[in-house]
Amino acid sequence: MEPATFVLFGATGDLAKRKIYPALFQLFVDQKLPSSFSLIGLGRRELSHETFKSNVEQSLITFSRSEVKDADVVKKFLRAFRYHVLDVDRKEDYTKLLRLVEEREEELNITPNRMFYLSVGPEFFETIATNIHESGLGSVDGWKRLVIEKPFGHDLESARQLNHTLNQAFDEPEIYRIDHYLGKPMVQQMGQLLHSALWEQADLRTRSIANIQISANETLGVEERAGYYDHTGAIRDMFQNHMLQLLMMLMIELPNRSSVDEVGKLKRKIMKSLMSLNKMDITQHVVRGQYGAGEIKGEQVVGYTDELGIAVDSQNDTFIAAKLRVDDPFWKDTPIYIRTGKRLKEKVTRIVIEYKSKGPLKDLLIVEIGPNEGIFFQRSQSDKERSDVEMSVRSQLSFMKESVKDAYETLIHDALVGDKTYFAHWDEVELSWEWVQPILDAYQDTLIPLHIYSAGSYGPHEADELLARDGFHWWFDF
Ligand code: NAP
């Protein structure tokens, strides 16, 4: 692997501590970091290199999935770490940073390959990219890469503006947009596993699909993210990115790992084939909700507007369900239902593919993405007695014998080796915003009622009606 300098903006923040350092450490333990590797952590607070290293060590003790017993291994890992004070707005800080980066490259005698990882709020992305460019940090003999986390914009227009600014400093192939759902092992292997699953169940290969259901249900509420979440909502926080990415990954049904261009091309094709919703469709095909007070696992919880930091009259959504159609001869009769929300009864990310059948028994192909992972078949009763669903698992594929990797390990490694397959590409991000924008407009124009649902339920009953109108129900809402 080529040598690299990892320049980490937001090195004192929560994401760095919980995810980035543990992932880098695991890659180090697994010998998957470049042999010449240097990390420069950035933040506003004054820290010595030593204090920074000991903070990183502390985060490894708390969050690493490798047992941090061997002090020598940790010490070796931390040798690569330096700290530099930087305020994103102060141009002189970038000039000093450039000197430090060059010094380290000389010390290690490595080609300038620089990865700029922005673990900071999205409001800083444009300023940082511009300052990297103007300071000369981005002028390298080797490669340069920019890693950013969603949200990529707040709506279609701001996403385009953000991308335009980033493109002044980085070309599209140099921009790595993390959507951590794409780093999940089950999501990455879904195409291949579905393919083998369908070979095992030969009769299903020729059968039509009645509907597809994609759910990402959370039990947590808004927690400490009130400021961010209250102007983001479920549609921007989950639906526009994670849920549409899951849909794309499901539908490409890749038999084998494809090249990045191929994955990108197929995903674009899928997004373009999604039928866009007009105002009338939106009122009928989109359900918007907000959690009220309720009980989750025996514990009373407050409603959204009683959460700390949320306005008492907030009209923000914590739940969305939508019915999507695909304009394609194969999928034209198959509705796709997507839902996601907070404070729901059960934490689960799951896809259910329901096959057409004449009798009361339904064949389901189920993809469990989290917290459990697997693909299996189930033959179930179609009646409403959901608790009577016959749990006759017909086939369970063996999956991921090795310990499950964290999404950040996979994605950081891929970014270091320059593999963009499982990152969100601009075209699909733009197409996702284009599809979602009419819904945002309808929200703005209050065309869609905000339904209050009890915490601990499966969301507003209008989300059940969305399927009931077509003769279906959400599977596994026990
Ligand atoms: P955080 O704990 O608030 O950390 C923010 C970081 O940004 C700190 O290191 C802070 O350093 C730095 N920072 C803030 N203002 C700065 C400025 N003007 N100049 C230079 N540095 C500045 O936030 P976080 O939770 O780590 O989240 C970072 C990003 O990741 C956000 O965009 C978030 O949406 C995203 N994200 C977070 C998580 C998560 O689990 N936390 C998950 C997914 C995505 P100083 O205070 O030292 O300046």
Side-chain angles (χ1 to χ4, degrees):
M1 196 189 293
E2 290 176 291
T5 304
F6 194 106
V7 182
L8 179 59
F9 292 78
T12 52
D14 180 63
L15 181 68
K17 282 182 203 151
R18 287 195 310 108
K19 292 290 180 186
I20 300 172
Y21 301 136
L24 284 169
F25 181 62
Q26 191 62 48
L27 291 173
F28 178 76
V29 170
D30 296 343
Q31 301 187 330
K32 286 186 175 161
L33 280 188
S35 49
S36 289
F37 177 76
S38 147
L39 182 144
I40 299 176
L42 307 168
R44 282 168 307 181
R45 60 199 88 168
E46 298 278 346
L47 294 180
S48 67
H49 295 311
E50 289 318 309
T51 313
F52 174 53
K53 288 184 196 192
S54 101
N55 293 349
V56 175
E57 185 172 358
Q58 201 48 51
S59 72
L60 297 181
I61 292 166
T62 317
F63 299 111
S64 176
R65 73 179 177 89
S66 255
E67 276 190 71
V68 187
K69 274 189 188 149
D70 191 336
D72 277 352
V73 179
V74 176
K75 213 165 140 192
K76 263 191 207 151
F77 172 65
L78 293 174
R79 258 187 223 150
F81 283 61
R82 297 290 183 278
Y83 183 76
H84 177 72
V85 176
L86 177 139
D87 188 310
V88 296
D89 293 314
R90 274 210 310 257
K91 293 196 183 291
E92 61 272 29
D93 289 354
Y94 293 82
T95 313
K96 289 183 199 151
L97 171 63
L98 174 61
R99 280 205 293 275
L100 176 61
V101 171
E102 286 174 341
E103 251 169 55
R104 290 290 289 148
E105 285 164 350
E106 272 168 39
E107 256 169 58
L108 298 168
N109 192 22
I110 58 175
T111 323
N113 292 322
R114 297 175 190 161
M115 189 157 119
F116 301 97
Y117 195 121
L118 275 44
S119 179
V120 292
E123 65 277 19
F124 297 135
F125 291 174
E126 294 178 66
T127 308
I128 295 175
T130 306
N131 283 329
I132 288 172
H133 179 61
E134 290 178 357
S135 63
L137 271 159
S139 306
V140 287
D141 289 339
W143 50 255
K144 66 175 189 298
R145 291 176 193 145
L146 180 76
V147 181
I148 53 174
E149 292 247 0
K150 65 109 199 178
F152 312 122
H154 190 67
D155 52 20
L156 178 59
E157 198 187 325
S158 59
R160 282 182 175 151
Q161 171 57 45
L162 167 66
N163 208 53
H164 176 75
T165 310
L166 297 183
N167 283 158
Q168 309 301 305
F170 292 87
D171 294 330
E172 174 59 20
E174 297 174 324
I175 303 176
Y176 289 67
R177 296 178 195 81
I178 290 190
D179 181 313
H180 74 270
Y181 271 53
L182 293 178
K184 289 177 188 278
M186 189 65 222
V187 175
Q188 296 196 348
Q189 302 198 22
M190 188 157 60
Q192 211 169 335
L193 288 170
L194 276 174
H195 191 73
S196 351
L198 288 170
W199 274 104
E200 272 188 33
Q201 298 292 322
D203 65 315
L204 290 189
R205 287 209 304 280
T206 52
R207 300 246 307 269
S208 309
I209 295 170
N211 72 79
I212 293 177
Q213 305 176 12
I214 306 178
S215 303
N217 301 345
E218 297 176 62
T219 49
L220 289 178
V222 68
E223 311 298 301
E224 282 92 38
R225 297 168 74 217
Y228 158 78
Y229 195 81
D230 203 36
H231 68 275
T232 306
I235 187 165
R236 292 183 173 92
D237 187 47
M238 291 291 291
F239 189 91
Q240 180 274 332
N241 35 70
H242 303 319
M243 303 310 286
L244 290 179
Q245 284 289 351
L246 279 183
L247 173 69
M248 288 181 246
M249 291 304 285
L250 174 73
M251 292 184 72
I252 54 182
E253 287 185 69
L254 295 174
N256 295 304
R257 190 185 164 89
S258 301
S259 75
V260 62
D261 284 348
E262 211 173 317
V263 174
K265 207 163 78 193
L266 288 165
K267 284 164 110 184
R268 275 198 299 280
K269 196 171 153 218
I270 290 157
M271 280 313 300
K272 282 185 181 160
S273 69
L274 278 189
M275 288 164 78
S276 47
L277 301 180
N278 60 32
K279 273 188 187 168
M280 177 61 89
D281 297 330
I282 291 171
T283 55
Q284 289 173 10
H285 295 174
V286 178
V287 176
R288 190 175 181 233
Q290 184 188 81
Y291 64 81
E295 189 184 305
I296 294 195
K297 292 178 188 142
E299 211 180 291
Q300 291 298 322
V301 295
V302 299
Y304 180 72
T305 51
D306 287 325
E307 298 273 18
L308 208 65
I310 302 292
V312 286
D313 56 353
S314 172
Q315 292 293 297
N316 188 33
D317 49 294
T318 63
F319 176 96
I320 175 173
K323 173 178 163 181
L324 292 80
R325 306 294 305 226
V326 179
D327 188 9
D328 168 287
F330 182 75
W331 292 107
K332 72 178 174 34
D333 293 328
T334 310
I336 298 163
Y337 306 101
I338 296 182
R339 69 174 166 180
T340 180
K342 289 194 177 294
R343 285 286 190 231
L344 300 180
K345 186 168 181 186
E346 169 204 27
K347 177 179 168 56
V348 71
T349 305
R350 177 193 289 135
I351 299 172
V352 180
I353 300 166
E354 179 180 332
Y355 285 85
K356 283 190 181 157
S357 72
K358 292 200 179 73
L361 289 178
K362 301 290 177 197
D363 280 318
L364 309 176
L365 179 53
I366 300 152
V367 184
E368 294 278 355
I369 294 165
N372 303 315
E373 293 179 308
I375 290 194
F376 56 94
F377 296 98
Q378 192 161 307
R379 173 158 285 189
S380 302
Q381 294 283 354
S382 64
D383 63 68
K384 293 270 180 328
E385 290 295 314
R386 314 240 172 115
S387 52
D388 283 343
V389 168
E390 193 187 313
M391 301 292 280
S392 60
V393 175
R394 287 207 269 158
S395 163
Q396 172 113 37
L397 296 171
S398 62
F399 173 69
M400 295 292 292
K401 295 235 168 57
E402 57 179 291
S403 61
V404 173
K405 290 195 192 94
D406 182 80
Y408 280 83
E409 276 168 47
T410 313
L411 294 173
I412 290 175
H413 179 261
D414 286 357
L416 281 167
V417 297
D419 182 350
K420 278 190 71 173
T421 310
Y422 296 112
F423 290 82
H425 311 112
W426 167 244
D427 291 338
E428 62 216 45
V429 172
E430 185 180 37
L431 287 164
S432 304
W433 277 120
E434 275 176 11
W435 196 85
V436 160
Q437 188 60 49
I439 306 180
L440 294 175
D441 295 341
Y443 280 17
Q444 183 76 23
D445 299 342
T446 58
L447 292 180
I448 311 180
L450 184 70
H451 302 288
I452 305 297
Y453 59 94
S454 302
S457 69
Y458 277 100
H461 67 85
E462 286 76 4
D464 298 330
E465 283 167 14
L466 190 66
L467 278 71
R469 285 203 294 267
D470 299 332
F472 302 124
H473 61 76
W474 294 103
W475 285 99
F476 310 116
D477 282 5
F478 298 122

